[in-house]
Amino acid sequence: MDADPGPDPAAWIRATAHPLATVDPSAPLDDLRTLGSLVSGATVVALGGSTRGAHEVTLLQHRLLRFLVVVGGFRTLAIEMDGASGARFDSYVRTGA
C-alpha cells in the first residue's frame, strides 16, 4: 500500500480505501480481512478516534477489537478511558458485575 497520497488525495482514497459493511460489532468480520494483512506479525496494534464516546466510533472500535481477538489472536487489550469508566470496566472484567 502506497502511503503517499500524491497530488490527488481523493484519488488515493478511492484506490486504497476498503469499505466496511457495518459498524455492528456482532456482524460477520469478512469485510475486515484486509486489516489482518495490515497487522500481520504485529505485537501491538493501536486504535484511535477523533472523538470520545461517539456511538458509531465506539461500535466500530468494538468490532475492530473483536476482529483482532477472534481472527488476529490478540489476547491483551489496553483501552483508553477516563478513571470512572475504567473502574467500572475493570470491575466488570474481573467480577462480571
Side-chain angles (χ1 to χ4, degrees):
M1 176 174 66
D2 184 6
D4 180 8
D8 188 355
W12 178 82
I13 291 170
R14 284 190 297 276
T16 59
H18 299 277
L20 301 178
T22 182
V23 295
D24 179 358
S26 64
L29 300 170
D30 299 334
D31 61 325
L32 296 175
R33 294 289 173 197
T34 300
L35 178 61
S37 64
L38 294 174
V39 301
S40 177
T43 56
V44 175
V45 175
L47 302 177
S50 59
T51 61
R52 296 279 182 254
H55 182 69
E56 293 81 5
V57 173
T58 302
L59 290 175
L60 179 58
Q61 287 177 334
H62 180 166
R63 190 160 185 251
L64 291 170
L65 289 171
R66 183 175 149 239
F67 176 86
L68 291 169
V69 169
V70 171
V71 177
F74 286 83
R75 296 293 179 257
T76 302
L77 305 173
I79 302 170
E80 178 187 3
M81 60 186 70
D82 62 76
S85 296
R88 288 191 309 272
F89 186 76
D90 180 61
S91 176
Y92 176 78
V93 168
R94 289 188 298 114
T95 68

